[in-house]
C-alpha cells in the first residue's frame, strides 16, 4: 500500500473509490487485464474492508435463492467458483459446511418449492430435498417438516479475502482518503479527497476513469459525479447474537428459515463462522446513520435526507408492519431468541451473548421497492464513470465476478 503522492497525472489512470471487497476485486481485475495501466483504490477508513465486507455472515452462497437469469444468479454462481479458486491459491480457510433452508410450517411449503425450483434452475451442486428425518440426519438439533439442503454452501472470512487482494501489489491502495467530490476537467476527471481530519485542503487526483464502489455512500458519490440516480440508499442494520461456546454444537452448518419473498434479506439464520463460533442473525432494522452499527449512532443529516426522500416514504408506508416486527426483535432478546428457537427448539435465552452487527447498503427504487438485483450504471462524458449502485448480499460471494462485469463496462468503447 502506498503512502502520500503529490497530484498525479497519468494518461491511463483509473481511480476506484471504496476498498471493500467489490472495489478491491474490481481493481484487481482492471490491473490484471492491463498491467501497464495505473489503478488506485481510495478509501476513507484506515483499513480495507472496514464496513460491509467485514461485517457480514461470511456465507459463500451457492445460488439457492436468486431469480434465474438475474445478475445476482449469474454473478453469484461465477463468483463462488472464482472465490474458491482464489482461497485455494492463497491458503485462505474455505469451509464447505453446507446449508439447510427449513420449513417449519405447512404454509411455508409453496415458498420452499419455489426456492428448490430456483436452486435447480441455477444448477446449485448436489441440491437435495429432505423430509423431517432427512433434516435430522444433517442437523440433529433442528426442527422442521421439510428442507432444501445445499451441501456446497461454504463459509469464509471476507475481511481476510479483501486484505489478501489488497496485499497482492497489483494496484495502489490509499487509506484515510475521503472522497468529497468528482468533477470533470476537460477530458479528465478530478477526484477530490480529504486526507485525514486535520488536512487543510483536499488533494486533487486526476483520472481517466472513475469506478464507484462506495457501498453505503454509492448514491452520494454517484450524484457528485453528475449522475442523478433514481435510487435512494437506505442503511439497514443487521444484529447478531452468538451461541455460547458450549452450545455451538447445536448447529453443524448453516440453518436458514424460508425467507419472505417480499424482502431481499434472507431471515435470521444460524451461521457457523470460520473458527467455530455460531451466530444467530442478522435481523434488519433501519439504521439511524449510514454506518449506524448501534442504536446510539445517529446522523441527523442522513435521517433528514432519508426521510425527505419519496422512495423512503413509499417504502415505509408499505413495509411498516415488517419494520415493527424487526424492531421488536431488536429490542427484546427474549423475542429474538424465541423466533430463532422455531428452527432450533433447544435454544434458550441463556445460550446466547451479544454478537457483532453489520449495516447493509440497500438501494430503494422511486416506487419504494427494495431493489433485489445488483445495479451497475455507466455515465459521465464517454461513459468514463462506472458506479456499483446496488450490491447487497450475495455481493461478497459474487465480488470477483462483479469485478469482471464492472471491468467490462469500464473498458467498453466510449458511450
Ligand atoms: C449483516 C450483513 C450480512 C451479510 N452476509 C453476507 C453473506 O453471508 N454473503 C454474502 O455474499 N454477502 C453478505 N452480505 C453482503 C456483503 O457483505 C456486501 O454486499 C459486500 O460486502 C459489499 O461490498 P462493497 O465493497 O460494495 O461495500 P463495502 O464493504 O461497504 O465497501 C465500501 C467502501 O467504500 C468506502 N467509502 C464510502 N464512501 C467513501 C468516500 N466518500 N471516500 C472514500 N471511501 C468511501 C467505505 O469506507 C467502504 O470501505 C452481508 C451484508 C451485511 C451487512
Amino acid at each position: 500500500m502506498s503512502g502520500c503522492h503529490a497530484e498525479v497525472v497519468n494518461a491511463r489512470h483509473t481511480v476506484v473509490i471504496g476498498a471493500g471487497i467489490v472495489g478491491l476485486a474490481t481493481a484487481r481485475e482492471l490491473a490484471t487485464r492491463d498491467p501497464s495501466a495505473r489503478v488506485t483504490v481510495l478509501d476513507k477508513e484506515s483499513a480495507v474492508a472496514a464496513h460491509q465486507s467485514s461485517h457480514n455472515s461470511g456465507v459463500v452462497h451457492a445460488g439457492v435463492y436468486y431469480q434465474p437469469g438475474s445478475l445476482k444468479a449469474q454473478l453469484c454462481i461465477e463468483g463462488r467458483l472464482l472465490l474458491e479458486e482464489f482461497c485455494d491459491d492463497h491458503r485462505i480457510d474455505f469451509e464447505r459446511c453446507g446449508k439447510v433452508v427449513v420449513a417449519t410450517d405447512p404454509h411455508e411449503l409453496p415458498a420452499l418449492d419455489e426456492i428448490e425450483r430456483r436452486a435447480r434452475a441455477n444448477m446449485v451442486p448436489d441440491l437435495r430435498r429432505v423430509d423431517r428425518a432427512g433434516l435430522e440426519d444433517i442437523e440433529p438439533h433442528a426442527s422442521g417438516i421439510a428442507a432444501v439442503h445445499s451441501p456446497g454452501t461454504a463459509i469464509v472470512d471476507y475481511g481476510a479475502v479483501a486484505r489478501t487482494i489488497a496485499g497482492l501489489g497489483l494496484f495502489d491502495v490509499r487509506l484515510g482518503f475521503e472522497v468529497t467530490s468528482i468533477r470533470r476537467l476537460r477530458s479528465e476527471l478530478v477526484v477530490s479527497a480529504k486526507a485525514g481530519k486535520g488536512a487543510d485542503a483536499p488533494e486533487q487526483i486526476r483520472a481517466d476513469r472513475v469506478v464507484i464502489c462506495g457501498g453505503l455512500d454509492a448514491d452520494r458519490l454517484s450524484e457528485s459525479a453528475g449522475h442523478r440516480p433514481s435510487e435512494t440508499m437506505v442503511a439497514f442494520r443487521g444484529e447478531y447474537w452468538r451461541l455460547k461456546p458450549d452450545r455451538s454444537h447445536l448447529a453443524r452448518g448453516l440453518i436458514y428459515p424460508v425467507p419472505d419473498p417480499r424482502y431481499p434479506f434472507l431471515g435470521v439464520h444460524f451461521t457457523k463462522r470460520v473458527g467455530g463460533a455460531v451466530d444467530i442473525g442478522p435481523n434488519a432494522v433501519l439504521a439511524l446513520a449510514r454506518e449506524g452499527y448501534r442504536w446510539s449512532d445517529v446522523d441527523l443529516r442522513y435521517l433528514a435526507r432519508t426521510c425527505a426522500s419519496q422512495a423512503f416514504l413509499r417504502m415505509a408506508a408499505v413495509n411498516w408492519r415488517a419494520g415493527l416486527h424487526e424492531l421488536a426483535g431488536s429490542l427484546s432478546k427474549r423475542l429474538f431468541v424465541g423466533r430463532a428457537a422455531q428452527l432450533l427448539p433447544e435454544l434458550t435465552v441463556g445460550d446466547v451473548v451479544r454478537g457483532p452487527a453489520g449495516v447493509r447498503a440497500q438501494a430503494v427504487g422511486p416506487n419504494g421497492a427494495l431493489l433485489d438485483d445488483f445495479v451497475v450504471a455507466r455515465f459521465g462524458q464517454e461513459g468514463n464513470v462506472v458506479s456499483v449502485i446496488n450490491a447487497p448480499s450475495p455481493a461478497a460471494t459474487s465480488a470477483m465476478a462483479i469485478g469482471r462485469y464492472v471491468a467490462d463496462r469500464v473498458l467498453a468503447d466510449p458511450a
Side-chain angles (χ1 to χ4, degrees), residues 14 105 119 129-130 164 170 176 182 201 213 224 233 242 263 282:
T14 303
D105 187 283
R129 174 84 172 225
V130 293
T164 304
L170 293 168
I182 304 157
C213 301
S224 155
M233 195 62 83
R242 179 159 288 184
Y263 301 104

Side-chain angles (χ1 to χ4, degrees), residues 102-283:
V102 180
T104 54
D105 187 283
H107 83 264
E108 292 175 326
L109 291 176
L112 190 69
D113 292 343
E114 173 60 11
I115 284 173
E116 185 182 355
R117 186 193 70 78
R118 288 185 180 196
R120 295 204 185 281
N122 293 336
M123 292 194 281
V124 171
D126 305 320
L127 191 89
R128 278 196 313 146
R129 174 84 172 225
V130 293
D131 58 10
R132 190 186 290 276
L135 171 64
E136 219 174 283
D137 286 343
I138 303 162
E139 289 288 352
H141 301 278
S143 164
I145 55 173
V148 165
H149 181 216
S150 160
T153 298
I155 51 173
V156 78
D157 175 351
Y158 285 112
V161 176
R163 288 188 291 278
T164 304
I165 302 174
L168 293 173
L170 293 168
F171 48 82
D172 279 352
V173 182
R174 302 181 68 190
L175 299 173
F177 277 82
E178 179 172 2
V179 173
T180 51
S181 75
I182 304 157
R183 63 197 160 81
R184 211 177 57 201
L185 185 68
R186 293 179 288 278
S187 62
E188 283 181 332
L189 292 157
V190 180
V191 177
S192 301
K194 268 192 306 191
K197 288 207 165 62
D200 301 334
E203 189 174 330
Q204 312 290 313
I205 301 164
R206 296 190 181 201
D208 299 282
R209 305 177 188 112
V210 168
V211 185
I212 299 170
C213 301
L216 289 150
D217 281 306
D219 57 341
R220 273 201 301 203
L221 289 162
S222 301
E223 256 177 69
S224 155
H227 185 48
R228 290 271 161 266
S230 48
E231 303 83 12
T232 301
M233 195 62 83
V234 178
F236 284 94
R237 185 172 58 252
E239 299 157 329
Y240 297 86
W241 289 89
R242 179 159 288 184
L243 286 183
K244 289 180 177 165
D246 63 334
R247 300 296 276 163
S248 295
H249 65 276
L250 290 179
R252 284 184 177 168
L254 307 163
I255 308 173
Y256 280 67
V258 176
D260 184 332
R262 290 170 299 172
Y263 301 104
F265 314 125
L266 300 178
V268 166
H269 45 264
F270 289 80
T271 306
K272 191 175 168 199
R273 301 281 184 179
V274 169
V278 175
D279 285 347
I280 316 171
N283 59 359

Side-chain angles (χ1 to χ4, degrees), residues 16-24 42-45 47-61 66 76 83 154 158 174 176-181 192-193 213-218 220-221 236-240 256 266 269 271 273 281-283 291 293 357-361 374 388 390-399 402:
V16 177
I17 304 169
I21 196 161
V22 172
L24 294 166
L42 303 176
D43 200 290
K44 62 186 170 57
E45 303 297 345
V48 303
H51 292 294
Q52 296 177 94
S53 298
S54 61
H55 293 84
N56 54 44
S57 298
V59 177
V60 183
H61 290 284
Y66 315 116
C76 175
L83 177 64
Y158 285 112
R174 302 181 68 190
F177 277 82
E178 179 172 2
V179 173
T180 51
S181 75
S192 301
C213 301
L216 289 150
D217 281 306
R220 273 201 301 203
L221 289 162
F236 284 94
R237 185 172 58 252
E239 299 157 329
Y240 297 86
Y256 280 67
L266 300 178
H269 45 264
T271 306
R273 301 281 184 179
N283 59 359
E291 288 150 13
Y293 291 93
V359 183
R360 302 176 184 86
F374 298 147
V388 178
N390 194 44
S393 183
T397 305
S398 319
I402 297 177

Side-chain angles (χ1 to χ4, degrees), residues 207-413:
D208 299 282
R209 305 177 188 112
V210 168
V211 185
I212 299 170
C213 301
L216 289 150
D217 281 306
D219 57 341
R220 273 201 301 203
L221 289 162
S222 301
E223 256 177 69
S224 155
H227 185 48
R228 290 271 161 266
S230 48
E231 303 83 12
T232 301
M233 195 62 83
V234 178
F236 284 94
R237 185 172 58 252
E239 299 157 329
Y240 297 86
W241 289 89
R242 179 159 288 184
L243 286 183
K244 289 180 177 165
D246 63 334
R247 300 296 276 163
S248 295
H249 65 276
L250 290 179
R252 284 184 177 168
L254 307 163
I255 308 173
Y256 280 67
V258 176
D260 184 332
R262 290 170 299 172
Y263 301 104
F265 314 125
L266 300 178
V268 166
H269 45 264
F270 289 80
T271 306
K272 191 175 168 199
R273 301 281 184 179
V274 169
V278 175
D279 285 347
I280 316 171
N283 59 359
V285 287
L286 283 172
L288 304 180
R290 279 184 195 252
E291 288 150 13
Y293 291 93
R294 297 163 303 183
W295 280 115
S296 53
D297 295 331
V298 181
D299 176 349
L300 293 177
R301 280 174 67 180
Y302 164 74
L303 287 177
R305 179 188 153 118
T306 304
C307 292
S309 121
Q310 285 300 317
F312 175 78
L313 294 174
R314 289 188 180 120
M315 180 201 78
V318 174
N319 298 299
W320 62 272
R321 266 197 200 87
L324 287 181
H325 177 271
E326 292 297 299
L327 180 65
S330 169
L331 298 177
S332 163
K333 176 181 179 186
R334 189 166 294 281
L335 199 59
F336 189 105
V337 173
R339 288 174 184 164
Q342 288 172 8
L343 290 172
L344 275 189
E346 289 168 54
L347 185 73
T348 66
V349 172
D351 291 335
V352 302
V353 292
R354 182 67 73 191
V359 183
R360 302 176 184 86
Q362 174 62 56
V364 176
N367 59 357
L370 302 169
L371 296 195
D372 191 36
D373 211 355
F374 298 147
V375 178
V376 175
R378 185 176 183 224
F379 51 91
Q381 195 189 36
E382 300 189 327
N384 55 0
V385 182
V386 173
S387 179
V388 178
I389 290 184
N390 194 44
S393 183
T397 305
S398 319
M400 291 182 186
I402 297 177
R404 286 185 172 179
Y405 181 87
V406 172
D408 286 344
R409 269 124 204 97
V410 172
L411 302 174
D413 289 337

